[in-house]
Amino acid sequence: MTEVRVPTLGESVTEATVATWFKKPGDAVAVDEMLCELETDKVTVEVPAPAAGVLGEIVAAEGDTVGVDALLAMINAGEGAAPAPAAAPAAAAPVAGGGDAVDVMVPTLGESVTEATVSTWFKAVGDTVAQDEMLCELETDKVSVEVPAPAAGVLSEILAPEGTTVDASAKLAVIGGASASAAAAPAAAPAAAAAPAGSADVENAPSANKLMAEKGIDAASVTGTGRDGRIMKEDVLKAALAPAAAAPAPAAAPRAPVAADDAAREERVKMTKMRQTIARRLKDSQNTAAMLTTYNEVDMTEVMALRSQYKDQFEKKHGVRLGFMSFFTKACVHALKEVPEVNAEIDGTDIVYKNYVHMGVAAGTPQGLVVPVIRDADAMSFADIEKAISEKGKRARDGKLSMAEMQGGTFTISNGGVYGSLMSSPILNPPQSGILGMHKIQDRPMAINGQVAIRPMMYLALSYDHRIVDGKGAVTFLVRVKEALEDPRRLLMDL
């Protein structure tokens, strides 16, 4: 007997509502066959069968609210292999004239990511492909995902051309044997034609029906995004907000007319999903947080001298260069211990204090800004921090970061100095309550013990959420960072 439990729902999501059961007690199920659909306040999650067998007791009925890892149902050992062949007639049809056909499906995209855009196909129909050879690249609002060939053969059909938006369970292409390509395309048409007939009568999520009844919304006016066009709770919420969202629209003036001579020299490019998400999240951050920035400056003389003295030995021993980021990470960890609210977040009417530091390090890439997270940075050495930053920075530039590597940060460091920025006000990365902005190191005359001396100085900026961090705490944090950098021995003595 196998338990079916609620999977991980995503960051900060603790419960879900059982929207729809696709199977009933007594039905035979195959491994990974969809059993039910859960609905959270952010995404819908399909729950696959962890084993083949017969669906026994359903513990959580439609409409029930369940927590993470809650028991949903039981699968009894039995005739679970039977549905698998029945579910695959469409796949079997194309191969009547040749070798086995293999579907190329959208790979796992990560928590809370439900769709992607096909950005590039590296192969054309008729091309021979080797197993694990890259077929195409998908672009989500956070990362780029390469799709390898699940088997060797001939690319017989591309179902999602470049620019197509596909969901997390979509079929991208078909790989057949040497003679399968000719048969694959005709066989796909009947399967596609049969789809609308099956979706003519779809039962909506119970929570969606309840909400539509409460708000007096006609189901015909709601676009369903669930399985087979099923209307989910979030679809109803979007429909309910649509009139309110439409009201401000007239205030957004259309783009002013452009002279014909100028128009011919302009280029209009559609924003990538990543850029759209960056724009939306940054604006949401401004609209949600009571954001304020405080500034200070730090004399980098001691850090630069220490780095210059030990950088060769450091690189020889640890195999990585000693940069400034490890010093700033250590200094921030030191300051966060004294001012824990900067490392906290707001959750409704609660403040969640984090007794650990997952340090986000903002990195500019050709695709846009990403923030990989160095987990448990408070327990890492200088060498560990430098290695982690170097490795994640390379993966970020190559577009290889996974969703998990960009989630869970508690504080962020952004270094605009690498681009020559002298002063800026960084924007918070929600739900975090603080972000430190580093800037260019520049020689400036400073008054030192009554004498004017030229010192390498850097402006520091701390943007913080004033709802949770008071001015005293923000200033104290920045002063502690300054003190640790101007006298790195304080980090060793924990002062």
Side-chain angles (χ1 to χ4, degrees), residues 146-171:
E146 289 184 334
V147 180
V154 176
L155 186 61
S156 57
E157 184 180 10
I158 291 178
L159 301 175
E162 292 182 3
T164 303
T165 298
V166 293
D167 62 31
S169 59
K171 184 193 297 187

Side-chain angles (χ1 to χ4, degrees), residues 198-211:
S199 60
D201 185 15
V202 175
E203 185 178 350
N204 299 323
S207 55
N209 289 331
K210 180 181 177 182
L211 193 59

Side-chain angles (χ1 to χ4, degrees), residues 11 109-111 373 375 392 401-408:
E11 195 173 308
L109 298 175
E111 283 182 19
V373 175
R375 306 185 73 83
K392 290 191 183 294
L401 286 175
S402 67
M403 288 291 300
E405 292 176 288
M406 295 187 286
Q407 292 179 333

Side-chain angles (χ1 to χ4, degrees), residues 39 44 51 71 120-121 146 211 235 251 257 282 292 309 318 328 331 339 363 372 466:
E39 185 180 80
T44 54
L71 182 63
T120 308
W121 276 99
E146 289 184 334
L211 193 59
D235 301 327
L282 292 179
L292 191 63
Q309 181 177 354
H318 300 292
F328 277 87
V339 193
H466 214 342

Side-chain angles (χ1 to χ4, degrees), residues 126-492:
D127 286 355
T128 301
V129 296
Q131 185 169 354
D132 293 330
E133 186 176 4
M134 288 306 137
L135 296 179
C136 67
E137 188 173 52
L138 306 181
E139 182 184 85
T140 74
D141 55 1
K142 296 181 180 178
V143 294
S144 295
V145 180
E146 289 184 334
V147 180
V154 176
L155 186 61
S156 57
E157 184 180 10
I158 291 178
L159 301 175
E162 292 182 3
T164 303
T165 298
V166 293
D167 62 31
S169 59
K171 184 193 297 187
L172 298 171
V174 177
I175 295 176
S179 59
S181 58
S199 60
D201 185 15
V202 175
E203 185 178 350
N204 299 323
S207 55
N209 289 331
K210 180 181 177 182
L211 193 59
M212 284 190 289
E214 290 175 354
K215 296 184 176 292
I217 297 176
D218 183 4
S221 65
V222 181
T223 302
T225 59
R227 189 185 182 98
D228 299 327
R230 182 176 288 101
I231 296 176
M232 312 305 294
K233 182 179 178 181
E234 61 188 20
D235 301 327
V236 181
L237 291 173
K238 289 179 182 178
L241 294 173
R255 185 167 183 257
V258 179
D261 290 345
D262 294 338
R265 293 179 290 170
E266 293 180 348
E267 180 183 6
R268 183 180 292 268
V269 178
K270 185 176 177 61
M271 291 175 70
T272 64
K273 282 188 174 292
M274 181 182 287
R275 175 53 59 188
Q276 292 176 42
T277 299
I278 291 171
R280 184 180 67 252
R281 284 179 58 85
L282 292 179
K283 189 57 184 172
D284 287 347
S285 175
Q286 285 186 321
N287 294 340
T288 302
M291 193 155 48
L292 191 63
T293 305
T294 185
Y295 304 92
N296 212 316
E297 59 183 354
V298 57
D299 185 343
M300 296 292 291
T301 300
E302 293 299 325
V303 168
M304 294 176 70
L306 193 62
R307 178 174 177 264
S308 178
Q309 181 177 354
Y310 293 108
K311 65 179 182 180
D312 292 336
Q313 297 176 47
F314 186 91
E315 184 172 4
K316 183 177 181 180
K317 179 176 180 178
H318 300 292
V320 65
R321 296 179 62 185
L322 177 61
F324 291 120
M325 287 301 297
S326 54
F327 287 96
F328 277 87
T329 300
K330 282 286 190 180
C332 286
V333 167
H334 174 76
L336 289 172
K337 291 179 180 178
E338 183 171 342
V339 193
E341 59 266 33
V342 181
N343 197 48
E345 69 176 64
I346 293 176
D347 182 17
T349 57
D350 297 333
I351 297 176
V352 182
Y353 290 95
K354 313 293 181 65
N355 297 318
Y356 53 87
V357 179
H358 293 339
M359 188 67 70
V361 181
T365 72
Q367 293 79 29
L369 180 71
V370 294
V371 187
V373 175
I374 311 298
R375 306 185 73 83
D376 296 312
D378 51 323
M380 298 174 74
S381 66
F382 278 82
D384 291 336
I385 292 172
E386 290 292 353
K387 289 176 182 177
I389 290 175
S390 175
E391 188 266 338
K392 290 191 183 294
K394 183 179 185 302
R395 288 170 59 79
R397 290 188 295 274
D398 294 341
K400 304 295 186 183
L401 286 175
S402 67
M403 288 291 300
E405 292 176 288
M406 295 187 286
Q407 292 179 333
T410 62
F411 185 81
T412 296
I413 299 176
S414 177
N415 186 4
V418 296
Y419 305 110
S421 173
L422 189 61
M423 176 76 81
S424 67
S425 300
I427 298 178
L428 287 173
N429 183 22
Q432 297 172 24
S433 298
I435 178 172
L436 180 76
M438 297 168 54
H439 299 93
K440 177 184 178 181
I441 299 174
Q442 188 173 59
D443 287 343
R444 295 204 305 272
M446 303 296 294
I448 309 294
N449 298 324
Q451 302 292 322
V452 176
I454 304 299
R455 292 296 180 94
M457 303 298 294
M458 177 192 288
Y459 287 117
L460 298 179
L462 174 71
S463 291
Y464 59 98
D465 190 345
H466 214 342
R467 295 178 302 167
I468 184 174
V469 182
D470 293 330
K472 176 185 176 182
V475 172
T476 300
F477 174 89
L478 209 51
V479 169
R480 293 296 176 266
V481 172
K482 169 185 170 71
E483 291 174 347
L485 292 169
E486 291 185 339
D487 185 2
R489 293 172 297 180
R490 299 175 67 93
L491 295 174
L492 300 176

